Amino acid sequence: MKKIIALLLVVSILAVFAACGTAEKDSYVVGICQLVQHPALDEATKGFRDALTDALGDKVTFDEQNASNDIPACATIANSFVSKNVDLIMANATPALQACASATTEIPILGTSVTEYGVALSIENFDGTVGGNISGTSDLAPLAEQANMIVELFPDAQSIGLIYCSAEANSLYQVNVVKAELEAKGLTATPYPFSELNDMAAVAEAACATSDVIYVPTDNTVASATNILYGVTKEANIPVIAGEEGICAGCGVASLTISYYDLGYKTGEMAAQILKGEAKIEEMPIAYAPNFVKKYNPDVCADLGITPPDDYVPIG
C-alpha cells in the first residue's frame, strides 16, 4: 500500500509539472537571422534582444547572423541554427522567415518585419495564426492610408510610379494593394519592378520619366540602398512616398510608419513566453503594430521645396 501511495504521489507531481508547461532552463541560445543591415531591421533586432534580456537576463545568449541581402545565405544561416539545436530562432524579414521555415519544423521560429505571413508562407485563406512552429509580428501599415497620403500631399499628381524588388513577395503584395487604391481614385499607378540591386537606378530613371510621384513599399532591397534611389529622384525632382521610416529617412518625403524597435520588442516578449513555457507557439496569432505615425524627412522636403502638413512629425 505504501508503494502504491508513493507511486501515485510521483505521478501527481509529474502531472503538475506537465500542466505548467515546459520548465524554465538555466540557459538559452537564440539564433537571429537578419536579411540585411538597414535601420528598420536593425531596430527590430535591437528591440527583440532588449525584450529577451529584460525577461531572461544573462540566461539568454544570442547567435546573431546577417545575410547581407544574400537570400541563399539565409538558408545557410538557418541550417546552422538547426545543427546547433538552438532553443528559438528569430527571422528578421520575409526571406529570412522563408529560409528558417524550410530548415526546421521543430525549433520555434518567430518572424518580425514580415508584412503578410499568408503571402510569405503561401498559406491560403490565412486566418492570422500560422500554427506549427511559427508565429511572429507583422510590419504591415495601413496601405489604403498610405495611398491617401499621396493624394493629400500631392493633389495634382496623376501618375504614380511603384518601385519595388520583384524578389520580395511582400513588396509585390503591398504594391498591388496600393495600386488598386490609387486606381480607385482615378490615378494612373504603374509598377516598376527590378530583380537585382544593380538594376534599381535604371528602373528608377524610367519611373521618374513618366511619374509625378514615386511610391516605395516596405522593401528590404530598396532600404539597403536608398542613396541610389535618392540620387535619381532628386535629379528628376520627383518626390518619394515610402512604406516605412527607414526608407523615408534615406530618400523619401514622407511615410506612414511604425516603430520597428517596438515591433521587435513585442517579438522578444513572445519569445520569452515560449522559452519560459508560458505560451505555445502553435497557438500564438501574428501580432501587429498598434500605432502608426505620419512622418516627413525635413532634408528631402527642403531639397524639393515641399511643406508638409502640421500633423506630420519630422524624422530625426
Side-chain angles (χ1 to χ4, degrees):
M1 181 62 70
K2 289 182 179 180
K3 289 181 179 179
I4 293 174
I5 293 173
L7 181 60
L8 290 174
L9 181 61
V10 170
V11 170
S12 299
I13 292 172
L14 290 175
V16 169
F17 276 115
C20 293
T22 304
E24 270 196 71
K25 294 169 57 177
D26 292 331
S27 63
Y28 304 92
V29 177
V30 173
I32 297 175
C33 178
Q34 181 172 322
L35 173 64
V36 65
Q37 185 174 3
H38 68 68
L41 300 191
D42 293 347
E43 282 295 295
T45 292
K46 184 177 188 301
F48 177 79
R49 291 174 59 110
D50 286 352
L52 262 183
T53 301
D54 288 346
L56 298 174
D58 58 6
K59 287 184 177 181
V60 61
T61 301
F62 298 98
D63 184 351
E64 187 173 341
Q65 305 285 335
N66 194 301
S68 299
N69 210 29
D70 180 3
I71 292 178
C74 289
T76 302
I77 293 168
N79 288 328
S80 74
F81 290 156
V82 174
S83 66
K84 295 173 185 176
N85 195 30
V86 298
D87 295 291
L88 182 142
I89 298 171
M90 190 275 267
N92 195 345
T94 298
L97 175 67
Q98 292 168 331
C100 292
S102 296
T104 178
T105 58
E106 301 296 329
I107 298 173
I109 300 169
L110 288 175
T112 194
S113 313
V114 176
T115 305
E116 170 55 52
Y117 281 74
V119 173
L121 300 173
S122 300
I123 303 172
E124 294 185 7
N125 302 316
F126 181 58
D127 64 1
T129 301
V130 176
N133 65 321
I134 299 173
S135 187
T137 57
S138 168
D139 62 356
L140 181 64
L143 297 174
E145 293 182 32
Q146 289 190 348
N148 289 337
M149 178 180 284
I150 295 172
V151 176
E152 177 184 40
L153 292 174
F154 307 104
D156 296 329
Q158 292 297 313
S159 181
I160 315 301
L162 312 170
I163 297 178
Y164 69 100
C165 178
S166 58
E168 298 194 32
N170 275 319
S171 294
L172 175 59
Y173 169 81
Q174 294 169 80
V175 162
N176 285 340
V177 173
V178 171
K179 182 176 186 293
E181 291 287 341
L182 293 172
E183 289 177 342
K185 300 176 188 298
L187 302 179
T188 299
T190 305
Y192 287 91
F194 64 92
S195 58
E196 297 181 357
L197 188 57
N198 291 337
D199 299 329
M200 186 171 73
V203 170
E205 289 173 1
C208 287
T210 60
S211 305
D212 300 314
V213 179
I214 298 296
Y215 172 79
V216 179
T218 302
D219 185 293
N220 295 296
T221 305
V222 175
S224 67
T226 53
N227 60 314
I228 296 174
L229 181 57
Y230 189 50
V232 175
T233 56
K234 181 181 179 181
E235 179 70 21
N237 201 40
I238 301 296
V240 174
I241 298 298
E244 56 92 6
E245 180 177 346
I247 294 175
C248 188
C251 66
V253 167
S255 176
L256 181 64
T257 189
I258 66 172
S259 165
Y260 275 82
Y261 177 86
D262 291 346
L263 194 71
Y265 199 94
K266 173 61 179 178
T267 315
E269 291 179 329
M270 294 169 72
Q273 289 181 299
I274 294 165
L275 293 175
K276 294 164 72 174
E278 298 173 352
K280 296 179 179 180
I281 191 168
E282 63 269 21
E283 297 175 356
M284 299 178 90
I286 301 302
Y288 292 82
N291 300 309
F292 301 90
V293 181
K294 291 180 177 180
K295 291 194 173 184
Y296 72 94
N297 184 325
D299 294 334
V300 174
C301 285
D303 286 343
L304 299 180
I306 295 169
T307 301
D310 291 339
D311 60 336
Y312 282 61
V313 178
I315 293 173

